[in-house]
Amino acid sequence: MEPVRTGSKKYKDQSWISQLFKKKTCTTFLPDPDDKSGEQCQCGYSRSCHKSVAVEDNFGAAIITKWHTSQHTTEEPTDAFGDVEFAGAGKKYRKFIRLSSETNPEIVYHLIVSHWKIPPPNLVVSVIGGGVSSNMKTRVKDILRKGLVKAAQSTGAWIITEGLRVGAGKHVGKAVRDHSTATTSSTGKVIALGVVPWGLVHNRECLINPKGSSPAKYSLTDVDGPTYSLDSNYSAFMLVDDGTNQKVGGEKYFRARLEDFISQQKTKGGAVGSIEIPVLCMLIEGEPSILERVYKATEQKDIPWLILAGSGGIADFLSELIQESLDPEEVRAVVTERLKKLFPNEENIPHLTDLVEKILKNKDLLTVYSDEDGQEEFDTVILKSLVKACKKSSNVAEYLDELKLAVAWNRADIASSELFKGDIQWKHNYQMVKMDEVNYATKHSPTPWIDLFIWAILQNLGDMAIYFWEMQGSESVASALAACRILKEMSRIESEAESSQAMKDLSIKFEQLAQDVFSECYRNSEDKAFILLVRHSVVWGKATCLQLATHADARNFFALDGVQSLLTQIWWGEMDRTTEVWKLLLTFFCAPLMYTNLIKFKHADKLEMVQNLEQDVGDVDAILTMGSQMCLGNQDVDSNKEEGSNDVKKENQPNNFNPEVAAIKESPRPFVMVRWKQFWSAPVTSFLGNVIMYFAFLLLFAYILLMDFKGPPPEGPSQAEFVLYFWVFTLVCEEIRQSFFIGKLPVAQKLKQYVLDVWNQCDMTAILLFIIGLICRMFKTSYDAGRVIFCIDYMVFTLRLIHIFAVNKQLGPKIIIVGKMMKDVFFFLFFLGVWLIAYGVATQSLLYPSDGRLEWIFRRVLYRPYLQIFGQIHLDDIDAARIGRRNCTNDPVELINGELPPCANIYANWLVILLLVIFLLVTNILLLNLLIAMFSYTFSKVQGNSDIYWKFQRYNLIVEYHSRPALAPPFIILSHIHVFIKRNIRKKASLKSKHFMLELTEQQDSQLMTWEAVQKENYLVQRDRLKRDSDRERLKRTSQKVDGILKNMTEIKEHDRRLKALEAELDKCTDALTWLMESMANSDLIKSSRPPPNIKD
């Protein structure tokens, strides 16, 4: 026995373990009949290992002939527990404990999870059989080493075996070791637990320590029996003691109870949304005694079994019976015959036959895994086994855990093929589902598929999320864009790089799905596709598809033709989109031209169109078409609705009442006002006016700075400067309107969105600088500083032109490329700055060591080397050969007073020249070419996507100018006053918002969603058709057909074998009948008037 290691740093008081867990000791020595010496007890221990009380009980030994653990053992505090360190296996400690076979499995489970800190399982796979087999087939080894461990990794399962370096436990241990070596992720660790008979553990004496081992030193030895070494690749060992030595069987009872207890526990610690931990028993080989275990697990515990066909023993016996279709009357006879053939030495054949008959009644709990299933992933086989076990009951609740398990494992194929094929009537339960740290309240979800879809997204289950998205009947485009947004946000806060990348990849898939479905919708109907973009989504908080795409940064979605077509129509309003720019400019400066045919307008006579529509006002498609025209900029209809719809009482409205029709018919506006609104309310007109007036603003600003910037009061400011101040004041009013009075979000969120925009930051900077410059120029002491600030502010205002010209199709992409290249410039300046400082400090120290003037040090260290890059090299100040005689000094006082320049130091002047050559070589050749290469790479990389980026920015620009008033600064103040009176005094809502947000009635929305669902189905059918026609799918189908043919050939061979056996039996019967006929013909017992029949060929 090892001494207690109280000096170990990891040693802790574990006395509570010995009080809670027990071991078993034999109390009655019963001689083993097979031992001729009489010194061996039936428990397996020798007489010397027993206590005196056990040996001296001669009376008890005389009347009892068979030893049993429950009658002839007593429990004592355990003396083996703690950590074990395997020699040659590194410093990784494994947990172990010696416990009685009667131990309560509840305390064992809590010891594993709470004290040993082993994560609770999502699945338990218990490997039964193959315990001490040394001739295990190669295929079985591959399943254990590859399939089982891989499935455990992907599902978060526990693997329970006997945990010894022999049989199935040895191969599982090797697989765990190989997986641990190849895997770096801590979350994918495979947990293997050993439930080991204490009497079978080799060298178990080194584990004994009544106070707990921390750790126990255990040497690994490959032995052939009767004891075996523990496998160092397991996470923990439960050494089950039933009082026997070198015998098996006692651990089976404890293991079955432990599996039953775990099957009643919940995953995720019993949190909301968790499921009962599924337990699956995997049978390999096996002796006849295992039938008792299979019967109890299937009949009493409803634990499913996966039988590995071809592994031998009872596994092959059961798999053949399950796969054959035997008549109930002949089952017993067939079973009895085969049991006698397989196990000729077995005495209790009738009992085993009864067990097999009872087992076959629960076929739903038995799944056979054979050679034909080898192409399926093992986790698929496991999940199918669990789903198959549910079919024993028709209750939907029995399938719920399997559904959650399929979702947790991200197995959309199992969900679609086994759980959602129509034979299960699922019900939609509205409840609070808690997933990890995210709460999702399913209050009024239209379908359960949306709930499952959100669940799968939050769990980052890609295949399941896509499957649930395909199954939901509506909100396809919006849901895909919302998923893209959620996944991108989750990837941003995810700490693990692998999971974050998986979320980004899944978000790209959903963005592509949104693009494909919308493209299908756009090809079918442009008008309905436009409404789909701007309608309020009931599921996603009344957000529109365009808003969801903006928040998801789905640039490729905005690059779609359908989206750009909608934006173009909104941009031009009621004007023809082919209108030339010069016509707009001419009409802008000469307003009466809008009433001529210089510019074409769409739907000039709206009343006629509405009257035609009135005939089909009950048709939802017609209403939707009208809605699309409403959202594309028909301002005359909006205006008439605004004026006339308030006078119509709702109680007098018929069912097919259309307010647009009533508005136009009751109060049609004059042509002059309609055309005026059509021209000035178009975003392109607002943009053109802002561009023209912004150029005028910059010209006025430049004129003041260059020619009319007078002194501080009372001399200045000039009248032109007062006009500039008022102009900037109107700009400030517009920025306040954009930041606080647009949208329905809270003020804090509006302000946050405004500040995060880069161009808004530019606006705030320009306005802030202008205010500071204005304050400074009003005082004589800070007048010059104010002028400087105004000059800098002018540059900022001028740079704002870049954003204005981003809408141009030619300039927009180039602006994006320039913006990307600016990042390269910053990296280049970093390298340049490092080299420039190194060269500047060295040359300054060598040439002017006595000059301590700070301003000149900075000039010579930074400014002069920078100019030398561009060729301004003053050799008269550097090269000693060209430094002439001149008045200079090294006196610090004279230098500070500026009386004479400093004298150049000519010592080691050759080093100065050498540094200059190296500096110019590195900067002008190496670094500048590096910058050019970076620019070229960035240009080639961004050029392909610059059009996509530009289209995305174009949307933001159109939204901005669509929401702006028609007049540009400084006249925009009139629009602000008009909007204030209209919103706050007349209490009239804005109708422009309908261009990007359309509210449909319930009937209209339902019709539109049905149409979208049909288009999605068309897309999915087309995608599946292309997938089926691919070479990969053809090869897969061919492989499946070949597998089917091989399976049929195997069945044909089996039938052929049976037919041959039947023919042999018939031949024997024919010979017997022939002999019988010949014998009777030659005898005098029976007389017949006719000869016996002959066998016809």
Side-chain angles (χ1 to χ4, degrees), residues 774-1039:
L774 175 61
I775 295 173
C776 292
R777 66 100 56 229
M778 292 298 177
F779 302 96
K780 185 178 296 185
T781 56
S782 58
Y783 170 79
D784 293 330
R787 185 185 186 91
V788 172
I789 294 174
F790 272 143
C791 293
I792 298 174
D793 191 34
Y794 181 81
M795 296 178 61
V796 178
F797 273 116
T798 306
L799 290 176
R800 190 65 172 79
L801 284 172
I802 296 177
H803 177 57
I804 295 177
F805 287 106
V807 73
N808 186 270
K809 192 171 185 178
Q810 285 72 35
L811 292 178
K814 301 302 183 292
I815 292 173
I816 294 171
I817 293 176
V818 171
K820 297 291 183 181
M821 286 183 175
M822 290 300 295
K823 298 180 181 179
D824 296 335
V825 171
F826 284 112
F827 285 111
F828 167 77
L829 291 178
F830 170 76
F831 291 112
L832 179 64
V834 171
W835 185 239
L836 189 142
I837 292 174
Y839 167 75
V841 170
T843 54
Q844 170 66 14
S845 179
L846 290 172
L847 289 173
Y848 303 103
S850 59
D851 191 356
R853 294 174 296 174
L854 190 61
E855 65 277 9
W856 281 96
I857 291 177
F858 276 103
R859 285 190 179 187
R860 297 193 185 104
V861 169
L862 298 176
Y863 183 58
R864 184 177 63 186
Y866 180 76
L867 294 179
Q868 289 175 352
I869 297 175
F870 300 98
Q872 296 187 21
I873 305 173
H874 300 283
L875 292 177
D876 294 339
D877 299 331
I878 299 175
D879 191 356
R882 302 185 60 175
I883 297 176
R885 293 185 177 181
R886 58 183 180 181
N887 293 330
C888 60
T889 182
N890 288 328
D891 185 8
V893 178
E894 294 181 351
L895 290 175
I896 293 174
N897 295 331
E899 298 176 1
L900 292 173
C903 296
N905 182 22
I906 61 174
Y907 177 77
N909 187 256
W910 61 273
L911 181 59
V912 176
I913 302 301
L914 180 62
L915 290 176
L916 175 62
V917 173
I918 297 174
F919 172 73
L920 294 177
L921 179 68
V922 172
T923 54
N924 287 16
I925 297 179
L926 179 62
L927 292 182
L928 286 179
N929 281 280
L930 174 64
L931 179 63
I932 294 172
M934 292 170 65
F935 281 168
S936 300
Y937 173 75
T938 302
F939 183 85
S940 61
K941 180 181 178 181
V942 179
Q943 177 65 23
N945 298 324
S946 60
D947 185 64
I948 296 175
Y949 283 101
W950 168 73
K951 288 178 179 178
F952 181 69
Q953 288 192 351
R954 179 174 179 256
Y955 163 76
N956 294 324
L957 192 69
I958 291 176
V959 170
E960 177 184 347
Y961 280 97
H962 174 267
S963 63
R964 282 197 174 192
L967 300 178
F971 307 107
I972 199 173
I973 192 69
L974 300 177
S975 296
H976 289 164
I977 296 173
H978 170 70
V979 170
F980 178 80
I981 295 174
K982 192 174 183 180
R983 302 288 177 265
N984 297 276
I985 298 177
R986 298 177 63 192
K987 303 294 183 181
K988 296 209 171 180
S990 173
L991 295 174
K992 265 194 170 185
S993 60
K994 286 194 173 188
H995 295 187
F996 287 100
M997 288 180 289
L998 186 63
E999 189 79 37
L1000 300 177
T1001 65
E1002 184 176 352
Q1003 182 185 8
Q1004 295 171 358
D1005 192 72
S1006 176
Q1007 290 286 339
L1008 184 65
M1009 290 298 96
T1010 302
W1011 171 79
E1012 183 200 28
V1014 171
Q1015 306 313 313
K1016 182 186 73 172
E1017 291 300 325
N1018 294 338
Y1019 158 72
L1020 293 177
V1021 169
Q1022 183 180 3
R1023 186 194 65 179
D1024 293 341
R1025 185 186 300 115
L1026 294 175
K1027 185 179 180 180
R1028 286 196 303 269
D1029 294 340
S1030 64
D1031 294 338
R1032 181 177 179 180
E1033 289 297 318
R1034 289 180 178 178
L1035 290 173
K1036 185 178 179 180
R1037 290 197 298 270
T1038 304
S1039 176

Side-chain angles (χ1 to χ4, degrees), residues 1070 1073-1074 1077-1078 1081 1088 1090-1096:
T1070 303
L1073 290 173
T1074 303
M1077 287 188 298
E1078 291 177 353
S1088 177
R1090 59 184 180 88
N1094 295 324
I1095 301 175
K1096 296 181 180 180

